[in-house]
């Protein structure tokens, strides 16, 4: 087997809303890359992992066809590809492994302000403009609604003004584009964020080990985001109550304190946000010398 076959490929959006977040996330997993002159390829310097920089729409297909082993892309694009493949009688050869908590948006139905929308049945015999034909078709089928889907590859929001559609189905985050076009959101079809997808193709043992290692690092990076390390002193008598107050922590470490029997030090990793209220409650329960530290890396 030649050396390039032992390397894994991750598909990432080339330029767009997901690019910086995706590259930063991979950097936090310890990957260092150099970009090729054509800027389509990033060579992993310290791990046998390369990045393919492509249009986001191509990412699920590249992972499904086993050109790439992993991909970072919006759930909206993943679901659209899944529906398109299903429509052709094929099954998506990728699976979703992580939600990444960036690239949040929703795929929504919108109509000119003042439209009397009373639920999906209002869509009967109406025209809906969208680039998300697969997801919309599936939604209409599930609702038992017969509407005409008008395909737009971009600038969907101008379709009603052009008289091409009564509704649009498009991505919304702040709603300002809808506002600017005199449209109002009437229903949400899908809540989306960036996700990691993984090929379902069978990989060689070495490649699978590398994919698993990368997924474990990604999991670590995602876990530490909210995690904090808490250190405090606690009266022995209040230990039970204090441990119960520590948010999302399993089995804190209890350490004796030199020169005293009735006080101990407690160290714990808390996997949930630690609010000021939590610290105040811990203090009321008798805790003192409270310290909350960020967690840099975690390997379960
Ligand atoms: P490409 O050239 O890669 O095809 P694009 O124009 O289709 O780029 P972007 O606008 O960069 O894509 O959006 C990428 C992803 O960001 C979307 O598929 C979606 O998951 C997410 N996203 C978050 N907020 C929004 C938004 N307000 N509008 C569009 N996409 C958004
Ligand atoms: Zn795109």
């Amino acid at each position: 087997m030649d050396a390039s076959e032992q390397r894994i490929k991750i598909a990432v959006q080339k330029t767009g809303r997901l690019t910086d977040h995706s590259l930063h996330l991979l950097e936090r997993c310890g990957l260092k890359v150099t970009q090729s002159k054509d800027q389509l390829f990033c060579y992993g310097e310290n791990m046998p992992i390369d990045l393919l920089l492509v249009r986001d729409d191509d990412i699920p297909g590249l992972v499904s066809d086993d050109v790439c082993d992993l991909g970072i892309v919006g759930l909206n694009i993943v679901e659209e590809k899944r529906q398109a493949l299903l429509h052709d009688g094929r099954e998506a050869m990728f699976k979703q492994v992580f939600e990444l908590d960036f690239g949040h948006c929703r795929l929504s139905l919108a109509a000119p302000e003042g439209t009397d929308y009373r639920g999906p049945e209002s869509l009967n015999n109406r025209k809906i403009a969208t680039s998300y034909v697969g997801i919309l078709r599936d939604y209409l089928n599930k609702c038992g609604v017969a509407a005409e889907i008008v395909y737009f590859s971009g600038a969907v929001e101008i379709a009603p003004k052009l008289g091409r559609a009564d509704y649009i189905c498009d991505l919304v985050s702040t709603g300002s584009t809808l506002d600017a076009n005199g449209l109002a959101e009437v229903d949400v079809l899908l809540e989306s964020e960036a996700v990691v997808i993984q090929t379902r193709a069978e990989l060689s043992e070495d490649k699978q080990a590398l994919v698993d290692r990368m997924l474990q690092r990604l999991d670590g990076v995602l876990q530490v985001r909210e995690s904090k390390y808490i250190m405090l002193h606690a009266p022995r008598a209040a230990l039970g109550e204090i441990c119960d107050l520590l948010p999302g922590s399993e089995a804190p470490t209890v350490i004796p304190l030199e020169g005293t029997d009735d006080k101990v030090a407690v160290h714990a990793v808390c996997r949930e946000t630690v609010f000021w209220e939590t610290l105040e409650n811990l203090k009321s329960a008798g805790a003192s010398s409270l310290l909350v530290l960020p967690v840099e890396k975690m390997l379960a």
Side-chain angles (χ1 to χ4, degrees):
M1 192 185 286
D2 88 49
S4 68
E5 286 176 39
Q6 304 277 14
R7 300 178 69 83
I8 64 166
K9 285 198 199 78
I10 305 180
V12 173
Q13 189 185 25
K14 183 172 185 283
T15 28
R17 295 173 204 256
L18 306 181
T19 309
D20 287 350
H21 279 105
S22 305
L23 295 176
H24 181 64
L25 178 66
L26 294 169
E27 197 185 303
R28 290 200 58 199
C29 290
L31 181 67
K32 290 198 171 65
V33 293
T34 42
Q35 207 157 350
S36 70
K37 287 221 175 64
D38 61 11
Q39 311 227 306
L40 295 176
F41 190 81
C42 286
Y43 181 82
E45 291 169 21
N46 59 339
M47 294 173 86
I49 296 176
D50 303 320
L51 309 183
L52 218 58
L53 303 179
V54 292
R55 285 200 57 197
D56 64 347
D57 314 71
D58 296 333
I59 294 176
L62 288 167
V63 177
S64 193
D65 295 342
D66 194 26
V67 177
C68 292
D69 306 280
L70 296 172
I72 300 177
V73 64
L75 183 62
N76 50 306
I77 304 281
V78 174
E79 284 309 311
E80 182 59 22
K81 181 69 180 180
R82 200 194 299 279
Q83 290 300 339
L85 287 169
L86 268 181
H87 196 64
D88 289 348
R90 291 158 62 198
E91 202 187 335
M93 286 303 287
F94 53 73
K95 58 183 175 194
Q96 184 188 321
V97 275
F98 292 119
E99 291 177 345
L100 295 173
D101 202 22
F102 63 81
H104 285 279
C105 57
R106 49 198 187 273
L107 184 65
S108 291
L109 280 168
E113 266 151 35
T115 301
D116 183 22
Y117 179 81
R118 298 165 181 232
E121 61 278 10
S122 298
L123 303 169
N124 258 315
N125 304 317
R126 299 287 171 197
K127 288 185 181 171
I128 312 170
T130 193
S131 333
Y132 291 85
V133 173
I135 297 177
L136 179 59
R137 190 199 298 120
D138 178 58
Y139 176 80
L140 295 173
N141 283 344
K142 282 183 180 146
C143 297
V145 165
E148 185 186 335
I149 299 177
V150 184
Y151 176 72
F152 266 61
S153 62
V156 177
E157 63 280 359
I158 61 168
K161 247 187 255 163
L162 298 177
R164 300 285 309 280
D166 307 294
Y167 288 85
I168 68 161
C169 169
D170 202 10
L171 294 180
V172 181
S173 51
T174 59
S176 57
T177 309
L178 294 182
D179 267 359
N181 287 280
L183 300 168
E185 197 173 353
V186 295
D187 235 328
V188 178
L189 272 61
L190 176 80
E191 295 279 356
S192 182
E193 67 189 279
V195 297
V196 176
I197 52 170
Q198 177 185 5
T199 180
R200 282 172 49 199
E202 187 134 349
L203 303 179
S204 71
E205 218 173 290
D206 286 352
K207 271 182 128 183
Q208 189 60 54
L210 203 53
V211 167
D212 290 345
R213 192 162 142 215
M214 203 57 194
L215 292 178
Q216 192 175 45
R217 288 193 184 187
L218 275 166
D219 188 42
V221 169
L222 298 176
Q223 282 202 37
V224 300
R225 220 172 12 203
E226 297 274 294
S227 296
K228 294 282 179 281
Y229 194 75
I230 296 196
M231 303 198 285
L232 54 86
H233 289 176
R236 234 179 232 289
L239 199 53
E241 189 188 347
I242 285 177
C243 289
D244 287 347
L245 283 170
L246 292 170
S249 78
E250 303 138 26
T253 309
V254 178
I255 310 159
L257 281 174
E258 194 63 29
T260 161
D261 277 339
D262 51 2
K263 260 190 172 187
V264 287
V266 178
H267 291 193
V269 173
C270 295
R271 290 170 191 261
E272 293 165 24
T273 312
V274 179
F275 295 106
W276 278 109
E277 288 74 10
T278 310
L279 296 183
E280 286 156 5
N281 292 340
L282 285 163
K283 198 165 156 49
S284 308
S288 57
S289 306
L290 287 134
L291 265 184
V292 182
L293 308 171
V295 176
E296 167 78 20
K297 289 190 178 67
M298 195 188 282
L299 195 63

